């Protein structure tokens, strides 16, 4: 595995989903947390395919797809992404975008790429 992909995969250590599951709140089932993790897993895998030297526009398009996937999950269950979870997801996007070699402050009015497209 190349160092770029290793750096991306290492961001999984920051996933908040196990903590969500342990919160005891009914919306954080094994299934719902796995679906959230799958969004980031797909993002990380696709960023790896684009490659470290791939165009930033292609990488940002992948973030857009991930955020839109979370928009869909939020529409299915409005209780899934509340204030704390919103902060977790935005932070997670910023951790991954940094690993992808992109400055998060360039997107979402300085808040990061999640703030470009999120409805949650």
């Amino acid at each position: 595995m190349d160092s770029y992909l290793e750096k991306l995969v290492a961001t999984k250590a920051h996933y908040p989903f196990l903590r969500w599951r342990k919160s005891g709140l009914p919306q954080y089932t094994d299934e719902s947390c796995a679906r959230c993790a799958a969004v980031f897993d797909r993002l990380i895998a696709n960023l790896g395919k684009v490659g470290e030297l791939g165009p930033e526009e292609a990488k940002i398009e992948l973030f857009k797809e991930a955020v839109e996937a979370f928009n869909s999950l939020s529409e299915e269950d409005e209780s899934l992404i509340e204030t704390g979870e919103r902060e977790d997801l935005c932070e997670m996007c910023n951790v991954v975008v940094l690993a992808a070699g992109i400055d998060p402050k360039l997107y979402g009015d300085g808040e990061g790429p999640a703030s470009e497209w999120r409805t949650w």
Side-chain angles (χ1 to χ4, degrees), residues 1-2 13-15 22 29 31 34 36 39 48 61-63 69 75 78-79 83 102-103 109 115 118 120:
M1 187 181 325
D2 70 26
H14 298 277
Y15 280 8
K22 289 181 175 181
T29 63
E31 179 186 351
C36 290
V39 171
E61 183 61 30
L62 295 172
F63 280 92
E75 287 172 15
E78 292 181 8
S79 69
T83 302
I102 300 170
D103 183 352
D109 294 325
S115 294
R118 69 180 178 85
W120 28 271

mmCIF file of all heavy atoms in Angstrom, residues 1-2 13-15 22 29 31 34 36 39 48 61-63 69 75 78-79 83 102-103 109 115 118 120:
data_model
loop_
_atom_site.group_PDB
_atom_site.id
_atom_site.type_symbol
_atom_site.label_atom_id
_atom_site.label_comp_id
_atom_site.label_asym_id
_atom_site.label_seq_id
_atom_site.Cartn_x
_atom_site.Cartn_y
_atom_site.Cartn_z
ATOM 1 N N MET A 1 0.855 -1.178 0.000
ATOM 2 C CA MET A 1 0.000 0.000 0.000
ATOM 3 C C MET A 1 0.897 1.236 0.000
ATOM 4 O O MET A 1 1.837 1.325 0.782
ATOM 5 C CB MET A 1 -0.894 -0.025 1.245
ATOM 6 C CG MET A 1 -1.923 1.049 1.259
ATOM 7 S SD MET A 1 -3.042 1.132 2.716
ATOM 8 C CE MET A 1 -3.321 -0.515 3.210
ATOM 9 N N ASP A 2 0.586 2.198 -0.877
ATOM 10 C CA ASP A 2 1.420 3.399 -0.920
ATOM 11 C C ASP A 2 1.123 4.318 0.265
ATOM 12 O O ASP A 2 0.113 4.171 0.942
ATOM 13 C CB ASP A 2 1.285 4.118 -2.264
ATOM 14 C CG ASP A 2 -0.060 4.795 -2.493
ATOM 15 O OD1 ASP A 2 -0.725 5.157 -1.520
ATOM 16 O OD2 ASP A 2 -0.429 4.965 -3.662
ATOM 17 N N ALA A 13 -9.279 5.755 12.018
ATOM 18 C CA ALA A 13 -9.117 5.748 13.475
ATOM 19 C C ALA A 13 -9.935 6.868 14.128
ATOM 20 O O ALA A 13 -10.203 6.826 15.327
ATOM 21 C CB ALA A 13 -7.647 5.885 13.846
ATOM 22 N N HIS A 14 -10.342 7.857 13.333
ATOM 23 C CA HIS A 14 -11.107 8.995 13.843
ATOM 24 C C HIS A 14 -12.618 8.812 13.680
ATOM 25 O O HIS A 14 -13.383 9.708 14.044
ATOM 26 C CB HIS A 14 -10.673 10.281 13.125
ATOM 27 C CG HIS A 14 -9.251 10.629 13.351
ATOM 28 N ND1 HIS A 14 -8.795 11.299 14.458
ATOM 29 C CD2 HIS A 14 -8.142 10.363 12.605
ATOM 30 C CE1 HIS A 14 -7.487 11.443 14.396
ATOM 31 N NE2 HIS A 14 -7.068 10.882 13.266
ATOM 32 N N TYR A 15 -13.037 7.678 13.116
ATOM 33 C CA TYR A 15 -14.475 7.454 12.934
ATOM 34 C C TYR A 15 -15.195 7.585 14.276
ATOM 35 O O TYR A 15 -14.794 6.962 15.259
ATOM 36 C CB TYR A 15 -14.746 6.056 12.382
ATOM 37 C CG TYR A 15 -14.553 5.857 10.896
ATOM 38 C CD1 TYR A 15 -14.001 6.830 10.078
ATOM 39 C CD2 TYR A 15 -14.937 4.667 10.308
ATOM 40 C CE1 TYR A 15 -13.830 6.621 8.718
ATOM 41 C CE2 TYR A 15 -14.780 4.442 8.949
ATOM 42 C CZ TYR A 15 -14.223 5.417 8.160
ATOM 43 O OH TYR A 15 -14.062 5.199 6.820
ATOM 44 N N LYS A 22 -22.296 3.376 21.066
ATOM 45 C CA LYS A 22 -22.226 3.180 22.515
ATOM 46 C C LYS A 22 -23.042 4.208 23.292
ATOM 47 O O LYS A 22 -23.221 4.070 24.498
ATOM 48 C CB LYS A 22 -20.777 3.206 22.984
ATOM 49 C CG LYS A 22 -19.997 1.977 22.550
ATOM 50 C CD LYS A 22 -18.582 2.031 23.060
ATOM 51 C CE LYS A 22 -17.841 0.758 22.726
ATOM 52 N NZ LYS A 22 -16.474 0.771 23.228
ATOM 53 N N THR A 29 -28.051 2.362 15.651
ATOM 54 C CA THR A 29 -28.011 0.911 15.591
ATOM 55 C C THR A 29 -26.723 0.464 14.906
ATOM 56 O O THR A 29 -26.019 1.279 14.293
ATOM 57 C CB THR A 29 -29.210 0.381 14.794
ATOM 58 O OG1 THR A 29 -29.108 0.864 13.440
ATOM 59 C CG2 THR A 29 -30.543 0.848 15.392
ATOM 60 N N GLU A 31 -26.666 -1.156 12.232
ATOM 61 C CA GLU A 31 -26.909 -0.902 10.812
ATOM 62 C C GLU A 31 -26.687 0.568 10.452
ATOM 63 O O GLU A 31 -26.003 0.876 9.471
ATOM 64 C CB GLU A 31 -28.321 -1.312 10.412
ATOM 65 C CG GLU A 31 -28.607 -1.043 8.949
ATOM 66 C CD GLU A 31 -30.054 -1.308 8.545
ATOM 67 O OE1 GLU A 31 -30.824 -1.871 9.343
ATOM 68 O OE2 GLU A 31 -30.408 -0.925 7.419
ATOM 69 N N ALA A 34 -23.041 1.423 10.622
ATOM 70 C CA ALA A 34 -22.314 0.782 9.516
ATOM 71 C C ALA A 34 -22.564 1.524 8.204
ATOM 72 O O ALA A 34 -21.646 1.674 7.387
ATOM 73 C CB ALA A 34 -22.731 -0.678 9.385
ATOM 74 N N CYS A 36 -23.159 4.709 7.911
ATOM 75 C CA CYS A 36 -22.357 5.946 7.977
ATOM 76 C C CYS A 36 -20.891 5.652 7.712
ATOM 77 O O CYS A 36 -20.233 6.369 6.941
ATOM 78 C CB CYS A 36 -22.535 6.605 9.340
ATOM 79 S SG CYS A 36 -24.167 7.331 9.617
ATOM 80 N N VAL A 39 -20.034 5.190 4.050
ATOM 81 C CA VAL A 39 -19.895 6.412 3.249
ATOM 82 C C VAL A 39 -18.431 6.857 3.263
ATOM 83 O O VAL A 39 -17.848 7.154 2.207
ATOM 84 C CB VAL A 39 -20.820 7.539 3.769
ATOM 85 C CG1 VAL A 39 -20.511 8.859 3.067
ATOM 86 C CG2 VAL A 39 -22.282 7.159 3.589
ATOM 87 N N GLY A 48 -8.259 7.073 -2.885
ATOM 88 C CA GLY A 48 -7.079 6.268 -3.172
ATOM 89 C C GLY A 48 -6.945 5.976 -4.655
ATOM 90 O O GLY A 48 -5.846 5.985 -5.205
ATOM 91 N N GLU A 61 -15.091 16.380 -5.803
ATOM 92 C CA GLU A 61 -16.329 15.754 -6.289
ATOM 93 C C GLU A 61 -16.665 14.516 -5.449
ATOM 94 O O GLU A 61 -17.835 14.253 -5.163
ATOM 95 C CB GLU A 61 -16.200 15.376 -7.772
ATOM 96 C CG GLU A 61 -17.457 14.782 -8.365
ATOM 97 C CD GLU A 61 -18.671 15.703 -8.347
ATOM 98 O OE1 GLU A 61 -18.520 16.941 -8.420
ATOM 99 O OE2 GLU A 61 -19.803 15.171 -8.259
ATOM 100 N N LEU A 62 -15.664 13.790 -5.017
ATOM 101 C CA LEU A 62 -15.890 12.632 -4.150
ATOM 102 C C LEU A 62 -16.420 13.060 -2.781
ATOM 103 O O LEU A 62 -17.274 12.379 -2.198
ATOM 104 C CB LEU A 62 -14.605 11.817 -4.007
ATOM 105 C CG LEU A 62 -14.099 11.165 -5.296
ATOM 106 C CD1 LEU A 62 -12.725 10.545 -5.073
ATOM 107 C CD2 LEU A 62 -15.097 10.143 -5.819
ATOM 108 N N PHE A 63 -15.929 14.180 -2.270
ATOM 109 C CA PHE A 63 -16.469 14.701 -1.006
ATOM 110 C C PHE A 63 -17.932 15.114 -1.183
ATOM 111 O O PHE A 63 -18.759 14.877 -0.311
ATOM 112 C CB PHE A 63 -15.626 15.868 -0.481
ATOM 113 C CG PHE A 63 -14.394 15.409 0.216
ATOM 114 C CD1 PHE A 63 -13.200 15.274 -0.477
ATOM 115 C CD2 PHE A 63 -14.416 15.079 1.557
ATOM 116 C CE1 PHE A 63 -12.057 14.814 0.147
ATOM 117 C CE2 PHE A 63 -13.280 14.626 2.200
ATOM 118 C CZ PHE A 63 -12.088 14.490 1.492
ATOM 119 N N ALA A 69 -24.540 11.691 0.255
ATOM 120 C CA ALA A 69 -24.965 10.412 0.828
ATOM 121 C C ALA A 69 -25.432 10.618 2.270
ATOM 122 O O ALA A 69 -26.440 10.046 2.694
ATOM 123 C CB ALA A 69 -23.834 9.396 0.756
ATOM 124 N N GLU A 75 -32.176 12.424 5.576
ATOM 125 C CA GLU A 75 -33.570 12.502 5.140
ATOM 126 C C GLU A 75 -34.348 11.254 5.541
ATOM 127 O O GLU A 75 -35.522 11.339 5.889
ATOM 128 C CB GLU A 75 -33.634 12.696 3.622
ATOM 129 C CG GLU A 75 -33.228 14.078 3.183
ATOM 130 C CD GLU A 75 -33.101 14.213 1.669
ATOM 131 O OE1 GLU A 75 -33.590 13.326 0.938
ATOM 132 O OE2 GLU A 75 -32.499 15.210 1.224
ATOM 133 N N GLU A 78 -34.321 11.719 10.392
ATOM 134 C CA GLU A 78 -33.925 13.067 10.792
ATOM 135 C C GLU A 78 -33.200 13.114 12.132
ATOM 136 O O GLU A 78 -32.507 14.082 12.435
ATOM 137 C CB GLU A 78 -35.138 13.989 10.810
ATOM 138 C CG GLU A 78 -35.693 14.243 9.421
ATOM 139 C CD GLU A 78 -36.889 15.167 9.420
ATOM 140 O OE1 GLU A 78 -37.219 15.738 10.480
ATOM 141 O OE2 GLU A 78 -37.490 15.323 8.348
ATOM 142 N N SER A 79 -33.334 12.063 12.946
ATOM 143 C CA SER A 79 -32.654 12.049 14.243
ATOM 144 C C SER A 79 -31.222 11.537 14.138
ATOM 145 O O SER A 79 -30.477 11.584 15.114
ATOM 146 C CB SER A 79 -33.429 11.188 15.245
ATOM 147 O OG SER A 79 -33.359 9.815 14.890
ATOM 148 N N THR A 83 -26.796 17.839 16.444
ATOM 149 C CA THR A 83 -25.701 18.794 16.578
ATOM 150 C C THR A 83 -24.336 18.133 16.763
ATOM 151 O O THR A 83 -23.391 18.427 16.029
ATOM 152 C CB THR A 83 -25.977 19.776 17.737
ATOM 153 O OG1 THR A 83 -27.205 20.440 17.481
ATOM 154 C CG2 THR A 83 -24.861 20.802 17.862
ATOM 155 N N ILE A 102 -5.566 18.370 0.708
ATOM 156 C CA ILE A 102 -6.372 19.544 0.360
ATOM 157 C C ILE A 102 -6.579 20.391 1.613
ATOM 158 O O ILE A 102 -6.840 19.855 2.700
ATOM 159 C CB ILE A 102 -7.737 19.117 -0.223
ATOM 160 C CG1 ILE A 102 -7.524 18.287 -1.495
ATOM 161 C CG2 ILE A 102 -8.624 20.316 -0.504
ATOM 162 C CD1 ILE A 102 -8.780 17.613 -2.003
ATOM 163 N N ASP A 103 -6.514 21.684 1.470
ATOM 164 C CA ASP A 103 -6.764 22.612 2.574
ATOM 165 C C ASP A 103 -8.270 22.767 2.767
ATOM 166 O O ASP A 103 -8.959 23.308 1.900
ATOM 167 C CB ASP A 103 -6.134 23.973 2.265
ATOM 168 C CG ASP A 103 -6.284 24.975 3.395
ATOM 169 O OD1 ASP A 103 -6.994 24.697 4.383
ATOM 170 O OD2 ASP A 103 -5.684 26.061 3.268
ATOM 171 N N ASP A 109 -16.870 28.156 2.946
ATOM 172 C CA ASP A 109 -16.595 29.420 3.642
ATOM 173 C C ASP A 109 -15.615 29.227 4.794
ATOM 174 O O ASP A 109 -15.767 29.802 5.870
ATOM 175 C CB ASP A 109 -17.892 30.060 4.150
ATOM 176 C CG ASP A 109 -18.794 30.509 3.014
ATOM 177 O OD1 ASP A 109 -18.261 30.949 1.963
ATOM 178 O OD2 ASP A 109 -20.032 30.416 3.161
ATOM 179 N N SER A 115 -19.463 21.572 4.507
ATOM 180 C CA SER A 115 -20.342 22.748 4.541
ATOM 181 C C SER A 115 -20.707 23.261 3.144
ATOM 182 O O SER A 115 -21.585 24.111 3.005
ATOM 183 C CB SER A 115 -19.692 23.857 5.357
ATOM 184 O OG SER A 115 -19.608 23.447 6.712
ATOM 185 N N ARG A 118 -23.863 20.151 2.628
ATOM 186 C CA ARG A 118 -24.678 19.473 3.638
ATOM 187 C C ARG A 118 -26.013 20.172 3.852
ATOM 188 O O ARG A 118 -26.101 21.413 3.781
ATOM 189 C CB ARG A 118 -23.921 19.318 4.947
ATOM 190 C CG ARG A 118 -23.672 20.613 5.696
ATOM 191 C CD ARG A 118 -22.906 20.305 6.993
ATOM 192 N NE ARG A 118 -22.611 21.508 7.711
ATOM 193 C CZ ARG A 118 -23.458 22.107 8.555
ATOM 194 N NH1 ARG A 118 -24.637 21.596 8.759
ATOM 195 N NH2 ARG A 118 -23.106 23.215 9.177
ATOM 196 N N TRP A 120 -27.754 18.899 6.630
ATOM 197 C CA TRP A 120 -27.928 18.497 8.022
ATOM 198 C C TRP A 120 -27.203 19.465 8.929
ATOM 199 O O TRP A 120 -26.320 20.143 8.587
ATOM 200 C CB TRP A 120 -27.425 17.059 8.293
ATOM 201 C CG TRP A 120 -26.334 16.600 7.396
ATOM 202 C CD1 TRP A 120 -26.475 15.984 6.203
ATOM 203 C CD2 TRP A 120 -24.918 16.712 7.610
ATOM 204 N NE1 TRP A 120 -25.234 15.699 5.660
ATOM 205 C CE2 TRP A 120 -24.273 16.136 6.484
ATOM 206 C CE3 TRP A 120 -24.124 17.247 8.616
ATOM 207 C CZ2 TRP A 120 -22.881 16.085 6.361
ATOM 208 C CZ3 TRP A 120 -22.748 17.203 8.481
ATOM 209 C CH2 TRP A 120 -22.135 16.611 7.372
#
